Amino acid sequence: MPEKAKKMEKVPIAKKLVDNAKFLQERIGVGTSFDLGVRKVHVLNREVHIYYCNGLCDTQYIIELLKQIVRVNDDERQAAQAWQIIENRLVHQQVSPVTSLDEAVDKLLSGLIIVLIEGESTGFAVDVRSYPGRQPQEPDTEKVVRGARDGYVENIIVNTALTRRRIRDERLRFEILQVGERSKTDVCIAYIKDVADPGLVELVKKELQQINVDGLTMGDKTVEEFLVKQGYNPYPLVRYTERPDVAATHLLEGHVLIMVDTSPSVIITPTTFFHHVQHAEEYRQSPGVGTFVRWVRFLGILTSLFLLPLWVLFVLEPELLPKEWAFIGPNKQTNIPIVVQILLADFGIEFLRMAAIHTPTPLSTAMGLIAAVLIGQIAIDVGLFVPEVILYVSVAAIGSFATPSYELSVANKISRLALVVLVVLFKVPGFVIGATVYLLWLASIRSLNTPYLWPFIPFDPAAFMQIVVRRSAAGAKVRPSIVHPQDVRKQPT
């Protein structure tokens, strides 16, 4: 029989516990792995085995269940009804029957306990999971001045609870499945039944079910690469968030969320370019202040993309500048070409960013002083850089840091460097053609059949105004049409 066919067969639970014990010993290493154990008790003249996985179970729950099961010997005498009696004594809200050892293995390795009874071909799975992890706290990458301070954690159960706390709708759905031949990682699809497009839900579900991989060791990032098939395209095709309020907002708009166990971030689908340039801070301020913050952020993003290529163009073609702007450009000559200085400075900032991630917090201040004083100033003094290069590269870097999405900021940096190279090679035609090709390329990208530059291309005036101007909650009456919501209106009539 082919190996794949063997895997599809379910091994039933044997009525003899010796056979079950032998299977579990060979299959998952009970008795070999120290964290897998079994507790054997006798109830109504029958042997009962309770299998557990240390570290994933709450020991106090198991002790209470054992007390209830052992107490059966004092209160009951009907040995023929041992299965029903033990089922009633499993005082827990989540008890489900299991009929195959394959299902029992999956549940056991997920943190549930398995109860097998001598002479019975059906056992019980009791959910006493208690995964190790941290408490919800504000995400470092999505801080707000005012707002909730809780954030998603690595526990999928906690994450679904944080979401349901904000949306207590009976139509909110959390569908769970396991992905990974070996890891069997829990992946949850979240959506609101009468809002989300059923076709989108089925598409996401189908893509997840087709993932064929050993394990999701990198969590949601691995799921994303299978889901959108991004390849070497640097631009993010899904949005990540660690804030439950942001996730709940997108659910109400009609998006589908993907939660992966062991990952503190949630995948939002589908998303466009403009989903990555919005931040929760804009919605925690008044509409006027939120609009101002949004415009400043847009300016920062445009600066991170086009400031350096434009400056290089004016350095190479100073006649393009009017006399009033003649001060733009280096005031002194150096032996190192300007483009080489820009590349060195840009990569130097990238080195500093990487170093900041890997540097312990007590040493980060010292690293900043070294970068600013020793490297920056001395590099200018010895003639490695002209001051204008440091200035414009720094402003472009600040624009990158102002970009809410880290993935988008890195993609913009790659595009900026490509534009700089084109300007150096072809001057004005290089900038014009490069910017045009860049815009057309973004317009050609589709994320789960969604145009990446919507509502700019294709143009949707009403939706585009909601991108430019932060509308008040009372004024935002319809959901984004790009997700094809079943219920278009946000506010019931």
Side-chain angles (χ1 to χ4, degrees):
M1 182 179 292
E3 186 67 23
K4 189 173 182 180
K6 290 181 180 178
K7 290 183 179 179
M8 297 297 293
E9 289 184 354
K10 297 286 187 180
V11 179
I13 293 177
K15 292 189 176 182
K16 293 184 178 180
L17 292 185
V18 177
D19 297 337
N20 296 328
K22 182 179 180 181
F23 176 89
L24 293 174
Q25 181 180 3
E26 295 176 354
R27 182 73 171 268
I28 60 175
V30 174
T32 302
S33 297
F34 77 94
D35 60 335
L36 296 174
V38 57
R39 179 71 166 88
K40 301 178 181 180
V41 296
H42 284 82
V43 178
L44 298 177
N45 296 323
R46 292 200 194 184
E47 193 171 7
V48 177
H49 289 183
I50 302 172
Y51 292 90
Y52 57 88
C53 181
N54 277 327
L56 300 181
C57 301
D58 191 317
T59 303
Q60 294 302 317
Y61 282 148
I62 299 177
I63 292 174
E64 290 299 322
L65 289 173
L66 278 171
K67 288 180 180 178
Q68 294 292 331
I69 292 174
V70 173
R71 199 173 295 162
V72 169
N73 293 321
D74 301 328
D75 303 332
E76 303 288 346
R77 294 292 181 269
Q78 299 177 356
Q81 298 182 3
W83 191 90
Q84 292 84 355
I85 294 173
I86 292 176
E87 180 185 21
N88 289 332
R89 292 301 181 96
L90 293 174
V91 287
H92 197 275
Q93 76 273 18
Q94 287 185 304
V95 179
S96 58
V98 288
T99 57
S100 70
L101 288 174
D102 300 270
E103 182 184 4
V105 166
D106 290 345
K107 291 182 179 296
L108 176 61
L109 295 179
S110 296
L112 287 75
I113 62 171
I114 304 299
V115 181
L116 301 179
I117 306 169
E118 181 72 31
E120 302 290 344
S121 58
T122 302
F124 300 104
V126 187
D127 193 346
V128 294
R129 285 177 287 189
S130 179
Y131 291 160
R134 57 190 174 90
Q135 293 298 313
Q137 58 189 13
E138 186 177 18
D140 290 333
T141 56
E142 296 179 273
K143 289 182 178 292
V144 293
V145 177
R146 299 187 186 281
R149 304 298 176 188
D150 58 346
Y152 287 128
V153 295
E154 290 76 12
N155 189 327
I156 194 172
I157 305 300
V158 175
N159 293 345
T160 55
L162 290 172
T163 307
R164 193 174 285 280
R165 183 182 178 189
R166 286 168 168 80
I167 304 178
R168 300 175 182 178
D169 188 353
E170 66 273 12
R171 289 151 293 193
L172 176 61
R173 299 289 183 265
F174 292 112
E175 295 188 23
I176 197 165
L177 60 150
Q178 290 186 329
V179 178
E181 180 65 28
R182 297 183 185 275
S183 68
K184 294 182 175 61
T185 306
D186 291 325
V187 178
C188 173
I189 305 172
Y191 61 94
I192 299 179
K193 186 176 181 181
D194 65 335
V195 175
D197 178 17
L200 175 62
V201 175
E202 289 302 318
L203 175 61
V204 173
K205 198 181 302 183
K206 178 182 176 182
E207 292 291 341
L208 292 177
Q209 290 172 344
Q210 289 179 349
I211 295 178
N212 186 15
V213 67
D214 271 358
L216 303 179
T217 52
M218 293 295 110
D220 48 9
K221 186 59 184 175
T222 306
V223 171
E224 178 205 342
E225 293 183 5
F226 278 96
L227 185 67
V228 296
K229 302 172 180 62
Q230 185 173 0
Y232 288 96
N233 174 13
Y235 277 86
L237 302 183
V238 299
R239 181 182 178 182
Y240 290 96
T241 184
E242 296 183 37
R243 295 188 62 89
D245 49 1
V246 173
T249 300
H250 283 82
L251 279 173
L252 292 173
E253 288 183 349
H255 292 264
V256 176
L257 271 55
I258 301 174
M259 302 179 178
V260 182
D261 196 27
T262 72
S263 294
S265 52
V266 167
I267 297 175
I268 301 172
T269 61
T271 54
T272 66
F273 179 89
F274 295 100
H275 281 99
H276 299 278
V277 300
Q278 299 181 43
H279 192 270
E281 180 65 23
E282 301 164 8
Y283 296 91
R284 290 292 183 175
Q285 305 292 340
S286 64
V289 176
T291 301
F292 172 75
V293 171
R294 181 174 293 182
W295 288 356
V296 172
R297 183 171 287 116
F298 287 168
L299 179 61
I301 295 171
L302 291 174
T303 299
S304 70
L305 264 172
F306 298 112
L307 178 64
L308 276 179
L310 277 173
W311 183 74
V312 173
L313 179 61
F314 292 143
V315 170
L316 298 177
E317 301 282 353
E319 63 274 7
L320 295 175
L321 287 169
K323 293 182 180 180
E324 294 80 8
W325 296 87
F327 63 89
I328 293 179
N331 296 323
K332 61 180 181 178
Q333 297 295 325
T334 61
N335 295 325
I336 300 177
I338 292 296
V339 64
V340 176
Q341 295 184 37
I342 288 176
L343 294 177
L344 287 175
D346 224 346
F347 281 112
I349 290 178
E350 194 67 17
F351 292 156
L352 291 174
R353 184 192 64 80
M354 293 180 181
I357 294 175
H358 304 303
T359 303
T361 303
L363 301 179
S364 59
T365 304
M367 188 197 69
L369 290 173
I370 292 172
V373 179
L374 298 182
I375 297 178
Q377 188 59 45
I378 293 177
I380 294 174
D381 292 341
V382 300
L384 182 60
F385 297 120
V386 295
E388 288 88 346
V389 169
I390 299 297
L391 170 65
Y392 290 110
V393 169
S394 300
V395 173
I398 292 173
S400 296
F401 296 148
T403 306
S405 169
Y406 169 73
E407 293 85 2
L408 181 63
S409 67
V410 176
N412 285 342
K413 172 173 284 193
I414 296 173
S415 300
R416 178 179 75 221
L417 293 175
L419 284 175
V420 168
V421 173
L422 287 174
V423 167
V424 171
L425 294 177
F426 305 106
K427 298 185 172 63
V428 175
F431 179 80
V432 174
I433 296 175
T436 303
V437 170
Y438 168 74
L439 185 62
L440 293 175
W441 175 57
L442 287 182
S444 67
I445 298 174
R446 300 182 72 85
S447 173
L448 294 176
N449 300 325
T450 303
Y452 197 55
L453 285 187
W454 182 91
F456 181 57
I457 301 175
F459 188 64
D460 185 332
F464 187 72
M465 283 304 298
Q466 291 194 11
I467 296 295
V468 176
V469 179
R470 206 286 258 181
R471 301 286 297 276
S472 66
K477 298 181 179 180
V478 296
R479 309 181 202 275
S481 61
I482 195 63
V483 295
H484 307 292
Q486 298 183 71
D487 183 3
V488 177
R489 295 187 61 84
K490 286 184 177 180
Q491 302 173 11
T493 55

